[in-house]
Amino acid sequence: MDKARFFFILLGLALMLYIFRSVRKNRLTMEMSILWSLGALGIFIIGCFPEIIIYLAGLVGIVYAPSLLFLLSTAFLLLLSLNNSIIISELKEKNKELIQNNALLEERLRRLEERKDNDE
Amino acid sequence: MKDVLVIIPVYNESQNIERVERDLKLHFPEADRLYINDHSEDDTLEKIRGFKESKYLDLSSNLGYFFAIQSGLKYAAQEGYQYVVQFDGDGQHLAAEARRLYETALKQKTDVLIGTRYFKDSAYKNSTARAMGTALIRWLYRRLTGKKLSDPTSGLQVLSAKAITYLSQTYNYPETADANLLMELYFKGFIIEEHPVVMRERDQGESMHSGIIGPVKYMGKMLYYMTFVFLERILGVDNG
């Protein structure tokens, strides 16, 4: 039991450190790190106080407490992954708009240059 | 500047493009031409550059057929064209037919006029799998809108200024935009009609609907998108 607790605390800490470092090195934006930091903090807290899970399981009527842990972590990952899909969709849309507008601008520039050449 | 713009999305159409340009120049002279090079890997762009009487857009990444079309619509909206004719760059569409379709659109005052290949005496042949898919889309379109749509994948279409403005500003313009987009336009009150046209079988290059995985994926997507548009309609959701 103590071994498992130690492992969880260490995992939470390591994750937090990794996220922190990634933000510092500009590999992850502050905004994107929020959900991940919350996840890492959750792991850390559960490592420190495993009783929380047992208490919560009793609260919602789950007999086998560890299954709540799986449920929560799956729900969290699902949320995170959906969040990523939303961000990717926004990026794709913006990227498409950029490529299209760039092509339109390039065409206008070409026309302007042609006109300039004809004037000279 | 003329009233009507033919937009021709092209991707690796080096073998067909010159014939398309010649055909349009000869048989549809009252229209301006805009080629949209969807980041071709062959010498399509070089050939388009040589067409002195035509304009072109050069997309810096490959966006796919429908986003290339939308780029052309944005250009038409920016320049203030009254009509756009969507014309495929693979040599399947005929300029004379496009011109006839445009004249019909003018007469009937439609917002979207679709050139349909399916009518009696049509020589257009189709593979069985594709015919079945088309039948399913046709059936669903009719169920959901109460209107007939015989050729849901026809790329030969004439759009009015109203439709051009709407489509060029659409956020989340679908990356596959056939029957689903027509449905959306129909629900928004645009006038959508069909008119028979003759098309040529493609003889160079690959159709984007060839293979087995492609059409199946296309069908799944199309059914999902159509259901989605319908749900938006009955739930009264308006995303602008």
Side-chain angles (χ1 to χ4, degrees):
Chain A
M1 188 61 202
D2 268 338
K3 245 189 197 167
R5 270 180 78 168
F6 182 67
F7 172 71
F8 259 67
I9 293 170
L10 213 66
L11 184 70
L13 279 176
L15 252 174
M16 278 195 268
L17 198 73
Y18 184 61
I19 293 162
F20 186 71
R21 262 174 56 105
S22 299
V23 175
R24 285 289 305 272
K25 288 193 160 180
N26 291 331
R27 279 189 304 185
L28 184 70
T29 63
M30 200 85 87
E31 189 199 357
M32 295 284 285
S33 72
I34 296 173
L35 267 177
W36 284 110
S37 290
L38 286 176
L41 193 69
I43 293 173
F44 180 72
I45 290 174
I46 288 167
C48 291
F49 312 103
E51 302 81 17
I52 296 174
I53 284 295
I54 298 159
Y55 171 74
L56 283 177
L59 213 63
V60 291
I62 290 174
V63 184
Y64 184 58
S67 63
L68 179 68
L69 201 63
F70 286 117
L71 180 72
L72 285 179
S73 52
T74 311
F76 175 74
L77 287 177
L78 213 65
L79 177 75
L80 205 86
S81 155
L82 182 65
N83 198 261
N84 279 340
S85 288
I86 290 171
I87 292 164
I88 292 168
S89 300
E90 285 173 358
L91 281 176
K92 269 182 95 168
E93 176 74 18
K94 284 177 187 165
N95 188 49
K96 181 209 82 184
E97 290 287 313
L98 272 178
I99 293 168
Q100 290 181 329
N101 288 342
N102 181 56
L104 287 174
L105 283 173
E106 191 253 347
E107 197 274 343
R108 275 181 73 175
L109 182 68
R110 225 184 305 129
R111 256 189 296 164
L112 280 173
E113 279 175 344
E114 262 167 42
R115 198 181 301 167
K116 209 181 114 206
D117 288 347
N118 289 343
D119 287 349
E120 274 166 10
Chain B
M1 196 186 82
K2 293 156 183 168
D3 269 356
V4 54
L5 177 72
V6 179
I7 58 175
I8 311 122
V10 281
Y11 176 64
N12 295 349
E13 295 290 3
S14 174
Q15 289 174 299
N16 300 311
I17 196 81
E18 280 156 329
R19 199 174 63 190
V20 168
E21 168 77 1
R22 239 180 294 127
D23 187 24
L24 281 166
K25 223 161 99 175
L26 195 66
H27 294 114
F28 200 175
E30 51 275 83
D32 281 338
R33 292 178 295 279
L34 177 77
Y35 290 89
I36 302 122
N37 176 39
D38 195 9
H39 205 67
S40 298
E41 280 137 22
D42 59 8
D43 59 343
T44 300
L45 180 63
E46 282 68 41
K47 289 197 172 164
I48 294 171
R49 279 205 181 115
F51 303 158
K52 289 297 164 219
E53 293 149 74
S54 303
K55 305 233 159 51
Y56 70 89
L57 296 179
D58 184 29
L59 300 176
S60 50
S61 297
N62 183 265
L63 289 183
Y65 177 83
F66 296 100
F67 287 155
I69 289 268
Q70 197 199 18
S71 315
L73 296 178
K74 284 185 177 179
Y75 177 87
Q78 173 191 290
E79 301 295 311
Y81 280 96
Q82 292 307 302
Y83 281 92
V84 155
V85 179
Q86 283 176 213
F87 196 89
D88 285 357
D90 58 8
Q92 202 190 5
H93 295 163
L94 302 164
E97 291 293 286
R99 183 179 174 207
R100 224 165 43 80
L101 198 65
Y102 165 63
E103 280 163 359
T104 313
L106 276 181
K107 245 181 274 158
Q108 298 186 356
K109 296 192 166 44
T110 55
D111 289 317
V112 183
L113 187 64
I114 307 149
T116 172
R117 287 161 283 194
Y118 303 101
F119 59 100
K120 59 180 168 56
D121 303 331
S122 168
Y124 193 80
K125 285 189 287 302
N126 229 336
S127 68
T128 355
R130 214 184 133 184
M132 271 165 60
T134 307
L136 183 57
I137 292 175
R138 236 185 252 156
W139 173 82
L140 189 68
Y141 188 88
R142 180 140 208 190
R143 285 301 309 235
L144 298 181
T145 64
K147 265 207 96 182
K148 217 184 130 199
L149 177 70
S150 60
D151 197 348
T153 57
S154 170
L156 187 60
Q157 298 183 4
V158 183
L159 306 175
S160 73
K162 193 180 150 201
I164 296 165
T165 310
Y166 177 80
L167 291 174
S168 62
Q169 289 168 355
T170 306
Y171 184 80
N172 259 339
Y173 187 90
E175 79 349 304
T176 306
D178 284 327
N180 52 337
L181 192 66
L182 292 172
M183 244 176 96
E184 185 183 326
L185 287 170
Y186 177 73
F187 287 149
K188 297 262 176 196
F190 289 86
I191 304 161
I192 299 170
E193 293 301 334
E194 287 189 301
H195 195 70
V197 289
V198 177
M199 282 187 202
R200 197 162 34 205
E201 301 264 356
R202 0 179 348 130
D203 40 23
Q204 304 275 352
E206 281 253 302
S207 159
M208 61 179 167
H209 294 298
S210 63
I212 297 167
I213 313 266
V216 170
K217 226 170 124 183
Y218 174 85
M219 280 299 302
K221 263 188 192 174
M222 197 42 61
L223 297 184
Y224 176 78
Y225 290 165
M226 285 170 82
T227 314
F228 205 100
V229 173
F230 182 68
L231 285 177
E232 265 183 346
R233 158 80 169 179
I234 57 168
L235 298 174
V237 194
D238 200 335
N239 54 2

